[in-house]
């Protein structure tokens, strides 16, 4: 790393660096033309000159301040002696601090000091993880053991660059690159099976995953995982949100479980007795397909329909994290797609899920 001391000068008006005449004028000013020239590298024959210009700028609505423009000139030593041409251009300065990144969406500031664990990073969980990072979550913990196959690209948020990679590793690399203020911790483990680090020990893997978390998000779309995670979080007083789509993606559900509300088994009973509307297509596996090379059948549906569930899950999670308190009731958000003029239209309904009289959680 090189540390350079460069001259600067104050301008009376804001410059227009995209204008070649303006830039040429700045680089030819008395201060700029007398600035030191540096060698680009010890082995390079090229040299450069770097200058800074301070100018009046509007930092916020009706609040004035200073902005910076940096100009770079590049050429050979003879070029800076006036015997050969040199090239140059403006080096833009961008505001990229935490407060700058959040200034366009101040309501997302509630996520800045929060930690969220996402279990299951498939077609619904992965977009939620990315949106959490995009909106300033402080720390993400991602648990999954699956890899990205080419066929996943039709619904998964990352494309060919992720093929063959672990889903959590691909998401980790993407988030670290694109949203550097988010800390990511990955756990490669499949619930209900052994892994190298956690042989037949779901509890240890989950313990690592939820350590210090403000919310656990279950995006595994498997009932046995929902029941396991509900018991795990209930015993530890941790908030839990679960979400999944119907096999045909004609409906879906986002559930925020409360300490005194119904459990996953209560939800099944509520669907059976009609006290809570069952999402269209739930339980109907007639449309499942098994692509070549896939070990089991998978649901059908399009990424932009699944994204409706991911987006709503973000709304529910953000609203919960903003309050900072564990809900006592369980709320069920039910998605049903209708159709008008040949276009699928989403519709959401919200109901409270009480403990069912015949459920063991009510004992």
């Amino acid at each position: 790393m090189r540390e350079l001391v460069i001259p600067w000068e104050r301008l009376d008006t804001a410059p227009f660096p995209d204008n070649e005449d303006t830039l040429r004028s700045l680089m030819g000013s008395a201060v700029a033309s007398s600035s030191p020239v540096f060698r680009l590298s010890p082995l390079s024959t090229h040299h450069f000159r770097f200058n800074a210009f301070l100018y009046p700028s509007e930092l916020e609505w009706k609040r004035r301040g200073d902005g910076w423009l940096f100009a770079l000139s590049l050429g050979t030593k003879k070029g800076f002696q006036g015997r050969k041409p040199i090239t140059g251009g403006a080096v833009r300065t961008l505001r990229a601090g935490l407060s700058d990144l959040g200034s366009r969406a101040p309501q997302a500031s509630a996520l800045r000091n929060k930690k969220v664990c996402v279990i299951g990073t498939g077609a619904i969980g992965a977009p939620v993880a990315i949106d959490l990072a995009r909106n300033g979550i402080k720390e993400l913990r991602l648990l999954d053991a699956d890899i990205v196959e080419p066929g996943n690209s039709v619904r998964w948020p990352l494309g060919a660059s992720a093929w063959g990679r672990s889903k959590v590793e691909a998401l980790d690399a993407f988030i670290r690159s694109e949203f550097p203020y988010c800390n990511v911790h990955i756990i490669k483990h499949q619930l209900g099976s052994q892994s190298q680090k956690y042989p037949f020990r779901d509890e240890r893997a989950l313990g690592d995953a939820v350590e210090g978390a403000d919310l656990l998000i279950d995006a595994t779309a498997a009932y046995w995982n929902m029941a396991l995670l509900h018991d795990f979080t209930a015993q530890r007083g941790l908030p839990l949100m679960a979400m999944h789509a119907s096999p045909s993606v004609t409906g879906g559900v986002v559930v925020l479980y409360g300490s005194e509300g119904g459990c996953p088994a209560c939800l099944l009973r509520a669907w059976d007795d009609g006290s809570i509307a069952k999402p269209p297509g739930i339980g109907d596996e007639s449309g499942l397909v098994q692509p070549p090379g896939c070990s089991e059948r998978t649901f059908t549906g399009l990424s932009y329909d699944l994204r409706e569930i991911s987006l709503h899950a973000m709304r529910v999670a953000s609203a919960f994290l903003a309050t900072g308190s564990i809900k006592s009731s369980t709320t069920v958000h039910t998605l049903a797609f209708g159709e008008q003029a040949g276009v699928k239209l989403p519709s959401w309904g919200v109901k409270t899920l009480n403990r069912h009289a015949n459920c063991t959680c009510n004992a």
Side-chain angles (χ1 to χ4, degrees), residues 114-118 132 137 139-141 214-215 217 321:
K114 302 296 184 180
K115 299 180 182 180
V116 173
C117 171
V118 180
L132 285 166
I137 201 77
E139 184 173 328
L140 267 179
R141 296 174 178 267
D214 297 287
L215 176 66
I217 298 178
L321 291 169

Side-chain angles (χ1 to χ4, degrees), residues 298-351:
T298 183
F299 62 91
T300 59
L302 298 161
S303 61
Y304 43 83
D305 290 333
L306 284 168
R307 281 286 281 155
E308 180 63 33
I309 299 174
S310 302
L311 291 170
H312 194 73
M314 269 299 302
R315 298 183 191 105
V316 176
S318 298
F320 167 75
L321 291 169
T323 65
S325 60
I326 297 178
K327 289 177 65 68
S328 59
S329 60
T330 294
T331 52
V332 180
H333 300 248
T334 303
L335 168 67
F337 279 106
E339 187 173 315
Q340 290 186 24
V343 177
K344 293 174 68 174
L345 300 178
S347 175
W348 285 93
V350 184
K351 276 210 166 187

Side-chain angles (χ1 to χ4, degrees), residues 263-283:
C263 68
C266 295
L267 181 57
L268 294 181
R269 289 180 168 88
W271 283 344
D272 286 340
D273 65 25
S275 56
I276 291 182
K278 183 185 294 188
I282 287 289

Side-chain angles (χ1 to χ4, degrees), residues 35-85:
S35 300
V37 176
F38 303 94
R39 187 187 289 270
L40 196 60
S41 71
L43 300 179
S44 176
T45 60
H46 280 75
H47 292 64
F48 71 92
R49 177 185 285 151
F50 205 49
N51 298 100
F53 301 91
L54 192 66
Y55 61 90
S57 176
E58 186 176 50
L59 301 181
E60 295 179 4
W61 174 248
K62 293 185 177 181
R63 186 170 79 87
R64 306 293 294 181
D66 291 324
W68 284 99
L69 170 69
F70 296 90
L72 177 68
S73 304
L74 183 66
T76 64
K77 189 173 183 179
K78 290 182 178 180
F80 285 99
Q81 293 173 347
R83 291 184 285 168
K84 282 192 175 182

Side-chain angles (χ1 to χ4, degrees), residues 1-289:
M1 180 180 294
R2 300 169 67 185
E3 184 174 308
L4 304 176
V5 177
I6 63 173
W8 65 275
E9 59 181 299
R10 182 181 288 277
L11 305 177
D12 295 329
T13 58
F16 296 93
D18 292 331
N19 184 296
E20 291 185 6
D21 291 337
T22 300
L23 190 60
R24 191 179 299 111
S25 174
L26 291 175
M27 294 167 64
S29 68
V31 172
S33 59
S34 62
S35 300
V37 176
F38 303 94
R39 187 187 289 270
L40 196 60
S41 71
L43 300 179
S44 176
T45 60
H46 280 75
H47 292 64
F48 71 92
R49 177 185 285 151
F50 205 49
N51 298 100
F53 301 91
L54 192 66
Y55 61 90
S57 176
E58 186 176 50
L59 301 181
E60 295 179 4
W61 174 248
K62 293 185 177 181
R63 186 170 79 87
R64 306 293 294 181
D66 291 324
W68 284 99
L69 170 69
F70 296 90
L72 177 68
S73 304
L74 183 66
T76 64
K77 189 173 183 179
K78 290 182 178 180
F80 285 99
Q81 293 173 347
R83 291 184 285 168
K84 282 192 175 182
I86 60 175
T87 60
V91 180
R92 295 190 178 277
T93 56
L94 303 174
R95 306 186 68 88
L98 267 176
S99 60
D100 299 304
L101 295 180
S103 62
R104 288 169 171 78
Q107 62 270 38
S109 62
L111 304 183
R112 284 187 191 166
N113 296 314
K114 302 296 184 180
K115 299 180 182 180
V116 173
C117 171
V118 180
I119 298 183
T121 54
I124 298 178
V128 169
I130 291 173
D131 274 348
L132 285 166
R134 187 191 311 277
N135 285 278
I137 201 77
K138 180 181 180 180
E139 184 173 328
L140 267 179
R141 296 174 178 267
L142 307 177
L143 186 150
D144 204 326
D146 199 9
I147 66 168
V148 183
E149 297 185 26
N152 295 143
S153 300
V154 71
R155 289 192 295 244
W156 213 64
L158 306 184
S161 62
W163 290 356
R165 302 178 66 185
S166 157
K167 288 181 178 178
V168 291
E169 288 178 339
L171 286 170
D172 180 24
F174 178 80
I175 291 171
R176 288 178 187 272
S177 172
E178 304 300 325
F179 309 109
Y181 290 110
C182 177
N183 298 314
V184 183
H185 177 64
I186 63 173
I187 301 98
K188 289 197 286 186
H189 176 76
Q190 182 177 348
L191 296 179
S193 66
Q194 65 172 330
S195 61
Q196 187 174 358
K197 187 175 181 180
Y198 305 105
F200 297 111
R201 293 297 299 272
D202 286 343
E203 190 166 319
R204 283 183 55 196
L206 289 173
D208 283 355
V210 304
E211 181 182 358
D214 297 287
L215 176 66
L216 186 150
I217 298 178
D218 171 21
T220 61
Y223 176 76
W224 48 89
N225 286 336
M226 295 177 204
L228 168 68
L229 294 174
H230 183 271
D231 290 345
F232 181 87
T233 53
Q235 292 169 10
R236 291 160 179 77
L238 296 172
L240 171 67
M241 187 178 79
M243 54 191 180
H244 61 90
S246 61
S248 57
V249 196
T250 52
V253 65
V254 175
V255 187
L256 183 61
Y257 289 99
S259 57
E260 301 299 325
C263 68
C266 295
L267 181 57
L268 294 181
R269 289 180 168 88
W271 283 344
D272 286 340
D273 65 25
S275 56
I276 291 182
K278 183 185 294 188
I282 287 289
D284 180 9
E285 299 185 352
S286 60
L288 294 181
V289 297

